[in-house]
Amino acid sequence: MNNGKIDELWHKPAQVVAPALLGRWLCKRGRGGKVTRLRITEVEAYCGPKDRASHAARGMTPRTRVMFGPPGFWYVYLCYGVHWMLNLVTGPQGYPSAVLLRGLEGVNGPGRMTRRLKITKTTDGQMCAKKTGLWIEGRAETPAGWRRRRGPRIGVDYAGKHWAGKHYRWWLEEK
């Protein structure tokens, strides 16, 4: 999964990939080769062109083109003109779905997360792999003293009651 090969998991639907990312490590190689590893603690799934909360619901645009590409690539966009959002493209090529990484251990919120790791638009369209400097490693684990939770996505009321109410958000919380 980390040496330029696409992880087979990334080929699955976003609602399968999202909970399987909890407890894994988001890894970023910085200056001088130093690697920062932070446990993934919160994710949301965006599931194709019918998902009214997904950018893909508006069709392919220059901004969303990467979502329609092969799985295992990063989709990064600017939210409210302020926060970069990091998503992993999933599913088969041509079917636009992705998982938003919302939190890491010690870093709550997708904007804080990308700011902490200095992730910007330059990451958009890059492969999730060691060779690009941003990758995911490890197994999905729930650390001792933590539990898995599931609920509706955050900030998607614009999508209507049905799509906003979907329980497509997963997170780890301390017991």
Side-chain angles (χ1 to χ4, degrees):
M1 109 173 100
N2 307 17
N3 296 315
K5 288 179 20 185
I6 301 298
D7 189 306
E8 289 304 313
L9 175 62
W10 306 161
H11 288 272
K12 296 183 186 296
Q15 63 269 39
V16 172
V17 175
L21 291 178
L22 291 178
R24 291 180 181 227
W25 301 92
L26 180 64
C27 306
K28 174 116 186 326
R29 187 179 322 102
R31 294 180 192 239
K34 180 179 185 248
V35 175
T36 300
R37 286 179 173 82
L38 296 166
R39 186 184 306 272
I40 299 169
T41 58
E42 186 177 0
V43 293
E44 286 180 349
Y46 290 87
C47 306
K50 292 183 181 177
D51 182 344
R52 303 301 299 164
S54 172
H55 293 161
R58 296 165 205 50
M60 187 188 305
T61 66
R63 173 177 154 175
T64 63
R65 185 174 313 281
V66 70
M67 284 184 76
F68 289 81
F73 286 75
W74 297 113
Y75 168 48
V76 180
Y77 65 90
L78 193 60
C79 183
Y80 305 124
V82 179
H83 306 290
W84 293 106
M85 301 287 135
L86 179 67
N87 298 261
L88 179 65
V89 175
T90 66
Q93 184 165 343
Y95 186 81
S97 65
V99 175
L100 170 66
L101 278 67
R102 289 194 52 82
L104 303 170
E105 193 166 4
V107 186
N108 294 320
R112 289 184 187 108
M113 185 189 81
T114 54
R115 193 167 32 257
R116 163 98 184 262
L117 293 173
K118 295 179 175 62
I119 294 170
T120 65
K121 184 70 171 171
T122 60
T123 302
D124 187 49
Q126 290 187 17
M127 182 182 281
C128 172
K130 280 185 181 178
K131 71 180 185 178
T132 64
L134 186 64
W135 70 96
I136 294 171
E137 66 183 24
R139 295 177 322 183
E141 296 179 334
T142 303
W146 292 66
R147 64 180 168 192
R148 288 176 170 252
R149 302 297 304 259
R150 183 177 183 183
R153 295 177 288 196
I154 294 174
V156 295
D157 290 344
Y158 61 84
K161 197 173 200 172
H162 173 76
W163 289 102
K166 291 270 188 188
H167 283 218
Y168 283 169
R169 180 170 66 99
W170 292 263
W171 68 96
L172 296 174
E173 71 179 19
E174 292 184 76
K175 290 182 183 177

